[in-house]
Amino acid sequence: MNERTLSSRRRFLSRVLGATGVLLLAGCERLSQSEWFPKVLAAGERISEAAQTLVTGRKAMAQEFAEVDTAEPDSEAYEALAAKGFADYKLEVAGLVASPRSFSLAELRALESRTQITRHDCVEGWSAIGKWKGAKLKAVLDAVKAKPEARYVVFYCADPMANDGTDLYYESIDMDDALHPQTILAYELNGEVLPIKNGAPVRLRVERQLGYKHAKYVMKIELVESFAHIAGGNGGYWEDQGYQWYAGI
Ligand SMILES: Nc1nc2c(c(=O)[nH]1)N[C@H]1C(S)=C(S)[C@@H](COP(=O)(O)O)O[C@H]1N2
Ligand SMILES: [Mo]
């Protein structure tokens, strides 16, 4: 089996297992920089240089982390879109909306946008700061006239999580997060067109939530009253594996 056929889920797990014992213990527990790293630093500060030398020696190795190796979605449909620079990409918006429609990248870029420099916290224990630009999700929802009974926004992604090409990544957020001014459908990262590894052509940024809520490769958005009927019924790919649906930080 070549690397391309390894599912993202297996890549995710192998990254966790390939990391240090500390990360292994942390596993897939809810873990953000804000709650975990400060504890480590606080403990470290109590150790004087002399004490640290005594315990570990000056040649002891610092903790290292596994490389985060997200690859491009294992999907022929996605590869065909990427081959044309996403010129044929359309974001479909459906469900509890008065005017369902789709948006080309040019149409998304014409909507009200926001640029923000924010920190991404992944449950695997890493964080990264990036400058994101994208269409406000509120502008998209206003354009399609979200119905009052809509309670959640579901994001369907292009990347299959199973080796047989099924089990697409998906996520959902509630209306409070959907209408939040910092919730955007990002198409740029650090002043460049959003790279494939970070979710091209469009990925969700929902800044008050942990990393797995930030759906990449978003192909379709659906407004729903409940997500009980979707996939495992828990509102997201990782939620169906036991992660919390509400991952606020
Ligand atoms: N479609 C899709 N979105 C996804 C994921 C994924 O595997 N597929 N991984 C999530 C997780 S766990 C994290 S931490 C972030 C990683 O975003 P990055 O690759 O831009 O750093 O994307 C999230 N969104
Ligand atoms: Mo993550």
Side-chain angles (χ1 to χ4, degrees):
M1 189 186 339
N2 68 29
E3 236 205 18
R4 298 270 299 116
T5 59
L6 271 179
S7 75
S8 304
R9 175 167 156 70
R10 290 201 35 212
R11 283 195 297 266
F12 181 101
L13 289 174
S14 68
R15 289 204 305 276
V16 173
L17 297 174
T20 66
V22 175
L23 278 185
L24 182 59
L25 277 177
C28 295
E29 293 295 322
R30 191 164 170 257
L31 177 69
S32 72
Q33 175 157 21
S34 34
E35 56 194 46
W36 189 66
F37 281 92
K39 268 185 225 150
V40 175
L41 287 177
E45 275 158 16
R46 286 199 298 271
I47 305 176
S48 71
E49 188 189 341
Q52 188 173 6
T53 303
L54 201 67
V55 174
T56 61
R58 290 302 301 268
K59 292 198 171 68
M61 300 288 276
Q63 185 181 5
E64 294 182 16
F65 297 87
E67 203 173 315
V68 180
D69 61 334
T70 11
E72 106 174 56
D74 229 334
S75 139
E76 277 176 24
Y78 181 87
E79 277 164 23
L81 283 175
K84 289 183 164 182
F86 300 103
D88 298 336
Y89 171 81
K90 290 266 186 193
L91 172 71
E92 188 190 341
V93 186
L96 297 172
V97 299
S99 321
R101 58 167 280 198
S102 55
F103 295 81
S104 67
L105 279 175
E107 287 168 331
L108 284 176
R109 282 181 174 271
L111 293 174
E112 187 185 349
S113 71
R114 194 172 200 279
T115 302
Q116 56 207 25
I117 301 176
T118 52
R119 193 184 70 202
H120 178 101
D121 292 313
C122 169
V123 289
E124 288 181 84
W126 58 269
S127 299
I129 292 175
K131 179 174 157 186
W132 304 95
K133 181 181 181 187
K136 286 187 172 184
L137 183 58
K138 183 180 186 302
V140 175
L141 300 187
D142 286 349
V144 295
K145 301 191 187 72
K147 292 185 178 172
E149 59 267 35
R151 291 188 59 206
Y152 304 101
V153 183
V154 185
F155 302 84
Y156 298 96
C157 307
D159 51 330
M161 304 301 281
N163 282 337
D164 62 3
T166 63
D167 218 3
L168 297 176
Y169 198 96
Y170 78 104
E171 257 304 338
S172 61
I173 59 176
D174 62 18
M175 283 299 173
D176 280 345
D177 270 330
L179 300 175
H180 190 279
Q182 290 171 318
T183 300
I184 60 174
L185 291 174
Y187 43 69
E188 279 182 24
L189 170 58
N190 298 330
E192 311 275 351
V193 167
L194 184 66
I196 285 182
K197 71 181 177 66
N198 298 106
V202 167
R203 71 94 55 82
L204 175 68
R205 293 297 309 170
V206 50
E207 302 295 353
R208 299 185 309 166
Q209 299 280 337
L210 284 171
Y212 60 90
K213 302 296 288 186
H214 300 232
K216 305 196 284 189
Y217 320 113
V218 177
M219 298 290 130
K220 181 182 168 183
I221 290 178
E222 187 186 13
L223 278 75
V224 296
E225 227 176 325
S226 149
F227 39 70
H229 62 289
I230 300 166
N234 299 294
Y237 174 78
W238 285 111
E239 287 85 336
D240 288 338
Q241 329 294 317
Y243 278 40
Q244 299 224 344
W245 177 80
Y246 190 80
I249 47 178

